[in-house]
């Protein structure tokens, strides 16, 4: 009887060993290799079409800008031109980098922009022209978004709602103030250059735009949010108010293809701009 029990236990152990063997995972599973992140595209070309309506007449300007980069993704030269008849022109800029400084030089006339950086952000920009120099400083909020630009003659205060630029207040030395407010509805891939361009229209000299529009993180204004509507209220002896509506077209991969900015005064459609972007 004892022998039978021993045989029974032996058979039970063999059955268990088969059961465990059948449940063992594959000893050499295939490793899961994550897909490498898709590199962000660069802004290669931009056209700006401005249409001005004045007394029943329509005036149109089209400007094209081409951007060239180094192997670190930094813009190093810019070519700009317009083929609008008597208004035709060509300009070019070279941009160099050293330590915590970026320098942008215009080719045919004396114009030089110098940017001083700290912790990867622009903290001061100086524009040197033939007969004057203009300087302003940049300040940032706790999330490293641009919060203030203080210049020789004016100050701009930016308010952010998370990663959305909510408003801008402009104050000049004459006591005049202008307020800009923004509303949003969707986002794009990469970033939205229109925010930089619309700010630059009021704040920055042309040469100063180039390192910032291609690398907006340098000035803490990189955002994927697309403005739907905005208003501009100018407060002085005669308060004026303008409204703007933005319509967009995206590429299939989500990058911004075009944006139309339509201005309204007293509820009537007025001047407008059309931005077109090419990414590579």
């Amino acid at each position: 009887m004892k022998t039978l029990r021993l045989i029974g236990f032996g058979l039970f152990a063999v059955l268990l060993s088969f059961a465990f063997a059948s449940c063992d995972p594959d000893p050499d599973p295939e490793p899961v290799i994550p897909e490498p992140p898709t590199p962000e595209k660069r802004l290669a070309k931009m056209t700006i079409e401005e249409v001005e309506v004045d007394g029943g007449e329509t005036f149109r300007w089209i400007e094209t800008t081409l951007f060239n980069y180094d192997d670190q993704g930094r813009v190093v030269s810019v070519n700009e031109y317009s083929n609008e008849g008597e208004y035709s022109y060509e300009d070019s800029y070279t941009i160099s980098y050293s330590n915590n400084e970026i320098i942008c030089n215009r080719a045919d006339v004396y114009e030089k922009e110098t940017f001083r950086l700290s912790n990867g952000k622009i903290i001061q920009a100086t524009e040197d022209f033939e007969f004057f120099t203009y300087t302003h400083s940049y300040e940032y909020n706790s999330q490293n978004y641009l919060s203030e630009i203080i210049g020789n003659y004016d100050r701009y205060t930016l308010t952010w709602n998370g990663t959305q630029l909510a408003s801008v207040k402009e104050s000049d030395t004459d006591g005049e103030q202008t307020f800009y407010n923004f509303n949003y509805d969707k986002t794009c891939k990469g970033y939205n250059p229109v925010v930089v361009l619309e700010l630059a229209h009021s704040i920055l000299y042309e040469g100063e735009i180039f390192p910032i529009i291609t690398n907006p993180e340098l000035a803490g204004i990189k955002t994927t949010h697309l403005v739907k509507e905005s208003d501009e209220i100018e407060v002085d002896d005669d308060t004026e108010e303008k409204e703007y509506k933005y319509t967009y077209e995206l590429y299939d991969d989500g990058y911004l293809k075009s944006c139309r900015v339509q201005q309204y005064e007293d509820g009537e459609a007025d001047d407008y701009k059309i931005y077109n972007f090419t990414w590579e």
Side-chain angles (χ1 to χ4, degrees):
M1 193 71 178
K2 182 177 180 182
T3 302
L4 288 175
R5 281 201 301 270
L6 290 172
I7 292 171
F9 282 126
L11 290 172
F12 182 64
V14 171
L15 290 173
L16 280 178
S17 67
F18 277 113
F20 281 121
S22 66
C23 295
D24 280 348
D26 187 349
D28 296 309
E30 288 292 327
V32 178
I33 302 175
E35 290 288 333
T38 303
E40 192 169 288
K41 290 185 175 182
R42 301 168 184 168
L43 182 60
K45 178 182 177 181
M46 156 180 94
T47 63
I48 304 175
E49 178 182 355
E50 295 190 55
V51 178
E52 182 179 317
V53 180
D54 186 12
E57 291 190 74
T58 300
F59 302 90
R60 187 185 308 269
W61 298 268
I62 299 177
E63 181 179 83
T64 300
T65 307
L66 305 174
F67 301 99
N68 302 292
Y69 297 82
D70 64 11
D71 56 6
Q72 297 183 50
R74 304 176 304 188
V75 63
V76 290
S77 66
V78 177
N79 298 301
E80 189 177 65
Y81 63 89
S82 175
N83 296 324
E84 295 301 302
E86 61 181 302
Y87 300 105
S88 298
Y89 71 91
E90 290 186 19
D91 265 331
S92 62
Y93 299 79
T94 58
I95 302 168
S96 59
Y97 302 81
S98 62
N99 297 326
N100 287 317
E101 198 170 74
I102 302 173
I103 297 176
C104 178
N105 283 289
R106 190 174 176 181
D108 297 329
V109 298
Y110 183 78
E111 179 183 328
K112 174 183 175 183
E113 285 79 22
T114 303
F115 306 86
R116 288 200 306 112
L117 286 78
S118 177
N119 298 319
K121 292 285 189 294
I122 296 171
I123 59 172
Q124 186 183 70
T126 301
E127 296 82 38
D128 290 311
F129 297 89
E130 187 173 359
F131 299 109
F132 72 95
T133 297
Y134 180 74
T135 300
H136 55 251
S137 60
Y138 292 62
E139 296 184 2
Y140 301 88
N141 63 19
S142 57
Q143 284 75 46
N144 282 323
Y145 282 95
L146 183 64
S147 62
E148 201 157 37
I149 297 180
I150 304 171
N152 298 78
Y153 311 107
D154 42 33
R155 176 191 296 255
Y156 297 84
T157 303
L158 291 79
T159 302
W160 294 81
N161 180 12
T163 58
Q164 294 180 351
L165 178 61
S167 64
V168 177
K169 176 184 176 183
E170 174 188 354
S171 307
D172 63 25
T173 53
D174 295 329
E176 296 181 357
Q177 294 184 331
T178 305
F179 299 87
Y180 307 87
N181 301 290
F182 306 94
N183 296 311
Y184 300 83
D185 65 348
K186 56 183 178 180
T187 61
C188 64
K189 188 78 176 293
Y191 67 93
N192 179 11
V194 177
V195 171
V196 181
L197 292 164
E198 290 293 285
L199 286 177
H201 178 70
S202 300
I203 300 173
L204 308 174
Y205 281 101
E206 188 172 43
E208 192 174 350
I209 298 172
F210 299 136
I212 295 175
I213 193 174
T214 53
N215 298 93
E217 65 278 2
L218 290 172
I221 48 179
K222 183 175 183 177
T223 179
T224 60
H225 295 281
L226 302 178
V227 179
K228 180 181 179 181
E229 297 175 336
S230 68
D231 60 61
E232 175 186 340
I233 304 172
E234 187 175 327
V235 181
D236 51 19
D237 295 335
D238 183 19
T239 299
E240 295 183 5
E241 184 171 354
K242 299 176 183 177
E243 296 180 347
Y244 302 87
K245 293 187 178 180
Y246 300 72
T247 54
Y248 301 91
E249 183 180 359
L250 302 180
Y251 289 101
D252 291 341
D253 60 3
Y255 280 83
L256 183 57
K257 183 176 184 180
S258 67
C259 172
R260 177 186 172 117
V261 184
Q262 176 68 63
Q263 177 181 306
Y264 291 84
E265 287 197 60
D266 300 323
E268 298 291 329
D270 199 7
D271 303 341
Y272 64 88
K273 295 179 190 176
I274 299 176
Y275 298 103
N276 289 285
F277 305 102
T278 301
W279 306 81
E280 293 179 354

PDB file of all heavy atoms in Angstrom, residues 31 67 84 87-88 96 104 140 153 167 184 207 211 214 220 236 246 260 265 268:
ATOM      1  N   PRO A  31      11.693  41.732 -28.427  1.00  0.00           N
ATOM      2  CA  PRO A  31      11.707  43.047 -27.763  1.00  0.00           C
ATOM      3  C   PRO A  31      10.835  44.044 -28.516  1.00  0.00           C
ATOM      4  O   PRO A  31      10.766  44.029 -29.745  1.00  0.00           O
ATOM      5  CB  PRO A  31      13.187  43.459 -27.819  1.00  0.00           C
ATOM      6  CG  PRO A  31      13.739  42.702 -28.988  1.00  0.00           C
ATOM      7  CD  PRO A  31      12.983  41.393 -29.022  1.00  0.00           C
ATOM      8  N   PHE A  67      13.577  80.697 -45.906  1.00  0.00           N
ATOM      9  CA  PHE A  67      14.421  80.475 -44.736  1.00  0.00           C
ATOM     10  C   PHE A  67      15.388  79.315 -44.999  1.00  0.00           C
ATOM     11  O   PHE A  67      14.990  78.275 -45.534  1.00  0.00           O
ATOM     12  CB  PHE A  67      13.564  80.132 -43.513  1.00  0.00           C
ATOM     13  CG  PHE A  67      12.569  81.200 -43.160  1.00  0.00           C
ATOM     14  CD1 PHE A  67      11.245  81.093 -43.559  1.00  0.00           C
ATOM     15  CD2 PHE A  67      12.944  82.316 -42.431  1.00  0.00           C
ATOM     16  CE1 PHE A  67      10.313  82.071 -43.241  1.00  0.00           C
ATOM     17  CE2 PHE A  67      12.030  83.307 -42.107  1.00  0.00           C
ATOM     18  CZ  PHE A  67      10.715  83.182 -42.510  1.00  0.00           C
ATOM     19  N   GLU A  84       5.965  93.149 -57.004  1.00  0.00           N
ATOM     20  CA  GLU A  84       4.781  93.968 -57.218  1.00  0.00           C
ATOM     21  C   GLU A  84       5.108  95.243 -58.005  1.00  0.00           C
ATOM     22  O   GLU A  84       5.041  96.365 -57.488  1.00  0.00           O
ATOM     23  CB  GLU A  84       4.153  94.323 -55.859  1.00  0.00           C
ATOM     24  CG  GLU A  84       3.616  93.125 -55.105  1.00  0.00           C
ATOM     25  CD  GLU A  84       2.549  92.390 -55.877  1.00  0.00           C
ATOM     26  OE1 GLU A  84       1.534  93.002 -56.236  1.00  0.00           O
ATOM     27  OE2 GLU A  84       2.741  91.188 -56.149  1.00  0.00           O
ATOM     28  N   TYR A  87       6.839  98.448 -56.769  1.00  0.00           N
ATOM     29  CA  TYR A  87       7.180  98.158 -55.379  1.00  0.00           C
ATOM     30  C   TYR A  87       8.099  96.944 -55.248  1.00  0.00           C
ATOM     31  O   TYR A  87       8.321  96.430 -54.149  1.00  0.00           O
ATOM     32  CB  TYR A  87       5.906  97.931 -54.554  1.00  0.00           C
ATOM     33  CG  TYR A  87       4.977  99.127 -54.534  1.00  0.00           C
ATOM     34  CD1 TYR A  87       3.806  99.122 -55.285  1.00  0.00           C
ATOM     35  CD2 TYR A  87       5.286 100.259 -53.789  1.00  0.00           C
ATOM     36  CE1 TYR A  87       2.950 100.215 -55.282  1.00  0.00           C
ATOM     37  CE2 TYR A  87       4.439 101.362 -53.776  1.00  0.00           C
ATOM     38  CZ  TYR A  87       3.274 101.337 -54.530  1.00  0.00           C
ATOM     39  OH  TYR A  87       2.438 102.420 -54.526  1.00  0.00           O
ATOM     40  N   SER A  88       8.625  96.441 -56.360  1.00  0.00           N
ATOM     41  CA  SER A  88       9.493  95.269 -56.327  1.00  0.00           C
ATOM     42  C   SER A  88      10.779  95.554 -55.546  1.00  0.00           C
ATOM     43  O   SER A  88      11.321  96.661 -55.620  1.00  0.00           O
ATOM     44  CB  SER A  88       9.855  94.821 -57.740  1.00  0.00           C
ATOM     45  OG  SER A  88       8.695  94.449 -58.455  1.00  0.00           O
ATOM     46  N   SER A  96      24.012  84.750 -37.347  1.00  0.00           N
ATOM     47  CA  SER A  96      25.111  83.983 -36.759  1.00  0.00           C
ATOM     48  C   SER A  96      24.872  83.774 -35.269  1.00  0.00           C
ATOM     49  O   SER A  96      24.145  84.549 -34.623  1.00  0.00           O
ATOM     50  CB  SER A  96      26.449  84.702 -36.982  1.00  0.00           C
ATOM     51  OG  SER A  96      26.423  85.994 -36.407  1.00  0.00           O
ATOM     52  N   CYS A 104      21.871  89.270 -36.336  1.00  0.00           N
ATOM     53  CA  CYS A 104      21.221  89.273 -37.643  1.00  0.00           C
ATOM     54  C   CYS A 104      21.661  90.528 -38.386  1.00  0.00           C
ATOM     55  O   CYS A 104      21.462  91.652 -37.895  1.00  0.00           O
ATOM     56  CB  CYS A 104      19.705  89.255 -37.474  1.00  0.00           C
ATOM     57  SG  CYS A 104      18.786  89.317 -39.025  1.00  0.00           S
ATOM     58  N   TYR A 140       9.678  86.899 -18.700  1.00  0.00           N
ATOM     59  CA  TYR A 140       8.898  85.675 -18.865  1.00  0.00           C
ATOM     60  C   TYR A 140       8.157  85.325 -17.574  1.00  0.00           C
ATOM     61  O   TYR A 140       8.586  85.699 -16.471  1.00  0.00           O
ATOM     62  CB  TYR A 140       9.823  84.520 -19.273  1.00  0.00           C
ATOM     63  CG  TYR A 140      10.550  84.803 -20.559  1.00  0.00           C
ATOM     64  CD1 TYR A 140      11.775  85.475 -20.566  1.00  0.00           C
ATOM     65  CD2 TYR A 140       9.993  84.452 -21.786  1.00  0.00           C
ATOM     66  CE1 TYR A 140      12.425  85.773 -21.759  1.00  0.00           C
ATOM     67  CE2 TYR A 140      10.640  84.742 -22.981  1.00  0.00           C
ATOM     68  CZ  TYR A 140      11.858  85.401 -22.955  1.00  0.00           C
ATOM     69  OH  TYR A 140      12.495  85.707 -24.133  1.00  0.00           O
ATOM     70  N   TYR A 153      10.445 103.280 -25.909  1.00  0.00           N
ATOM     71  CA  TYR A 153       9.287 104.149 -26.018  1.00  0.00           C
ATOM     72  C   TYR A 153       7.967 103.480 -25.658  1.00  0.00           C
ATOM     73  O   TYR A 153       6.935 104.142 -25.611  1.00  0.00           O
ATOM     74  CB  TYR A 153       9.187 104.695 -27.453  1.00  0.00           C
ATOM     75  CG  TYR A 153      10.478 105.265 -27.960  1.00  0.00           C
ATOM     76  CD1 TYR A 153      11.231 104.575 -28.914  1.00  0.00           C
ATOM     77  CD2 TYR A 153      10.966 106.476 -27.478  1.00  0.00           C
ATOM     78  CE1 TYR A 153      12.437 105.087 -29.389  1.00  0.00           C
ATOM     79  CE2 TYR A 153      12.169 106.989 -27.939  1.00  0.00           C
ATOM     80  CZ  TYR A 153      12.901 106.297 -28.884  1.00  0.00           C
ATOM     81  OH  TYR A 153      14.087 106.802 -29.334  1.00  0.00           O
ATOM     82  N   SER A 167      -4.199  87.930 -23.970  1.00  0.00           N
ATOM     83  CA  SER A 167      -4.314  89.360 -24.224  1.00  0.00           C
ATOM     84  C   SER A 167      -2.938  90.018 -24.247  1.00  0.00           C
ATOM     85  O   SER A 167      -1.963  89.470 -23.714  1.00  0.00           O
ATOM     86  CB  SER A 167      -5.180  90.037 -23.157  1.00  0.00           C
ATOM     87  OG  SER A 167      -4.565  89.943 -21.885  1.00  0.00           O
ATOM     88  N   TYR A 184      -9.939  81.395 -29.163  1.00  0.00           N
ATOM     89  CA  TYR A 184      -9.386  80.254 -29.910  1.00  0.00           C
ATOM     90  C   TYR A 184     -10.455  79.187 -30.129  1.00  0.00           C
ATOM     91  O   TYR A 184     -11.470  79.147 -29.449  1.00  0.00           O
ATOM     92  CB  TYR A 184      -8.214  79.637 -29.138  1.00  0.00           C
ATOM     93  CG  TYR A 184      -7.074  80.595 -28.906  1.00  0.00           C
ATOM     94  CD1 TYR A 184      -7.096  81.493 -27.847  1.00  0.00           C
ATOM     95  CD2 TYR A 184      -5.972  80.621 -29.747  1.00  0.00           C
ATOM     96  CE1 TYR A 184      -6.058  82.389 -27.628  1.00  0.00           C
ATOM     97  CE2 TYR A 184      -4.919  81.504 -29.547  1.00  0.00           C
ATOM     98  CZ  TYR A 184      -4.975  82.381 -28.476  1.00  0.00           C
ATOM     99  OH  TYR A 184      -3.940  83.261 -28.280  1.00  0.00           O
ATOM    100  N   GLY A 207      14.015  92.641 -39.095  1.00  0.00           N
ATOM    101  CA  GLY A 207      15.128  91.726 -38.904  1.00  0.00           C
ATOM    102  C   GLY A 207      15.028  90.934 -37.622  1.00  0.00           C
ATOM    103  O   GLY A 207      15.552  89.825 -37.516  1.00  0.00           O
ATOM    104  N   PRO A 211      14.803  85.139 -36.379  1.00  0.00           N
ATOM    105  CA  PRO A 211      15.124  84.029 -35.473  1.00  0.00           C
ATOM    106  C   PRO A 211      13.927  83.589 -34.640  1.00  0.00           C
ATOM    107  O   PRO A 211      13.848  82.437 -34.223  1.00  0.00           O
ATOM    108  CB  PRO A 211      16.232  84.613 -34.586  1.00  0.00           C
ATOM    109  CG  PRO A 211      16.758  85.795 -35.314  1.00  0.00           C
ATOM    110  CD  PRO A 211      15.602  86.334 -36.083  1.00  0.00           C
ATOM    111  N   THR A 214      11.137  81.433 -36.798  1.00  0.00           N
ATOM    112  CA  THR A 214      11.577  80.069 -37.085  1.00  0.00           C
ATOM    113  C   THR A 214      11.818  79.272 -35.804  1.00  0.00           C
ATOM    114  O   THR A 214      11.724  78.045 -35.829  1.00  0.00           O
ATOM    115  CB  THR A 214      12.866  80.091 -37.914  1.00  0.00           C
ATOM    116  OG1 THR A 214      13.838  80.909 -37.253  1.00  0.00           O
ATOM    117  CG2 THR A 214      12.606  80.650 -39.302  1.00  0.00           C
ATOM    118  N   GLY A 220       9.662  82.577 -26.052  1.00  0.00           N
ATOM    119  CA  GLY A 220       8.550  82.113 -25.218  1.00  0.00           C
ATOM    120  C   GLY A 220       7.183  82.374 -25.809  1.00  0.00           C
ATOM    121  O   GLY A 220       6.225  82.647 -25.075  1.00  0.00           O
ATOM    122  N   ASP A 236      -7.270 106.563 -26.635  1.00  0.00           N
ATOM    123  CA  ASP A 236      -6.616 107.875 -26.595  1.00  0.00           C
ATOM    124  C   ASP A 236      -7.728 108.920 -26.619  1.00  0.00           C
ATOM    125  O   ASP A 236      -8.806 108.696 -26.063  1.00  0.00           O
ATOM    126  CB  ASP A 236      -5.618 108.047 -27.748  1.00  0.00           C
ATOM    127  CG  ASP A 236      -6.227 107.727 -29.107  1.00  0.00           C
ATOM    128  OD1 ASP A 236      -7.474 107.734 -29.212  1.00  0.00           O
ATOM    129  OD2 ASP A 236      -5.474 107.483 -30.058  1.00  0.00           O
ATOM    130  N   TYR A 246     -10.215  85.043 -38.067  1.00  0.00           N
ATOM    131  CA  TYR A 246      -9.154  84.224 -38.646  1.00  0.00           C
ATOM    132  C   TYR A 246      -9.764  82.941 -39.208  1.00  0.00           C
ATOM    133  O   TYR A 246     -10.529  82.250 -38.528  1.00  0.00           O
ATOM    134  CB  TYR A 246      -8.126  83.853 -37.577  1.00  0.00           C
ATOM    135  CG  TYR A 246      -7.447  85.037 -36.923  1.00  0.00           C
ATOM    136  CD1 TYR A 246      -8.124  85.861 -36.032  1.00  0.00           C
ATOM    137  CD2 TYR A 246      -6.103  85.333 -37.177  1.00  0.00           C
ATOM    138  CE1 TYR A 246      -7.499  86.949 -35.425  1.00  0.00           C
ATOM    139  CE2 TYR A 246      -5.467  86.407 -36.571  1.00  0.00           C
ATOM    140  CZ  TYR A 246      -6.183  87.208 -35.695  1.00  0.00           C
ATOM    141  OH  TYR A 246      -5.557  88.276 -35.099  1.00  0.00           O
ATOM    142  N   ARG A 260      -6.137  83.420 -43.173  1.00  0.00           N
ATOM    143  CA  ARG A 260      -6.666  84.715 -43.637  1.00  0.00           C
ATOM    144  C   ARG A 260      -7.113  85.494 -42.407  1.00  0.00           C
ATOM    145  O   ARG A 260      -7.884  84.986 -41.582  1.00  0.00           O
ATOM    146  CB  ARG A 260      -7.833  84.527 -44.598  1.00  0.00           C
ATOM    147  CG  ARG A 260      -8.458  85.856 -45.055  1.00  0.00           C
ATOM    148  CD  ARG A 260      -9.694  85.611 -45.898  1.00  0.00           C
ATOM    149  NE  ARG A 260     -10.406  86.847 -46.179  1.00  0.00           N
ATOM    150  CZ  ARG A 260     -10.589  87.358 -47.387  1.00  0.00           C
ATOM    151  NH1 ARG A 260     -10.105  86.730 -48.452  1.00  0.00           N
ATOM    152  NH2 ARG A 260     -11.263  88.485 -47.552  1.00  0.00           N
ATOM    153  N   GLU A 265     -14.268  97.012 -39.299  1.00  0.00           N
ATOM    154  CA  GLU A 265     -14.459  98.286 -38.609  1.00  0.00           C
ATOM    155  C   GLU A 265     -15.929  98.662 -38.712  1.00  0.00           C
ATOM    156  O   GLU A 265     -16.505  98.636 -39.807  1.00  0.00           O
ATOM    157  CB  GLU A 265     -13.582  99.379 -39.221  1.00  0.00           C
ATOM    158  CG  GLU A 265     -12.108  99.228 -38.876  1.00  0.00           C
ATOM    159  CD  GLU A 265     -11.333 100.511 -39.138  1.00  0.00           C
ATOM    160  OE1 GLU A 265     -11.675 101.537 -38.519  1.00  0.00           O
ATOM    161  OE2 GLU A 265     -10.398 100.468 -39.942  1.00  0.00           O
ATOM    162  N   GLU A 268     -18.142  96.304 -40.599  1.00  0.00           N
ATOM    163  CA  GLU A 268     -17.952  96.122 -42.032  1.00  0.00           C
ATOM    164  C   GLU A 268     -16.566  95.535 -42.322  1.00  0.00           C
ATOM    165  O   GLU A 268     -15.568  95.951 -41.727  1.00  0.00           O
ATOM    166  CB  GLU A 268     -18.097  97.456 -42.776  1.00  0.00           C
ATOM    167  CG  GLU A 268     -19.472  98.093 -42.655  1.00  0.00           C
ATOM    168  CD  GLU A 268     -20.528  97.309 -43.410  1.00  0.00           C
ATOM    169  OE1 GLU A 268     -20.172  96.687 -44.441  1.00  0.00           O
ATOM    170  OE2 GLU A 268     -21.698  97.311 -42.969  1.00  0.00           O
TER     171      GLU A 268
END
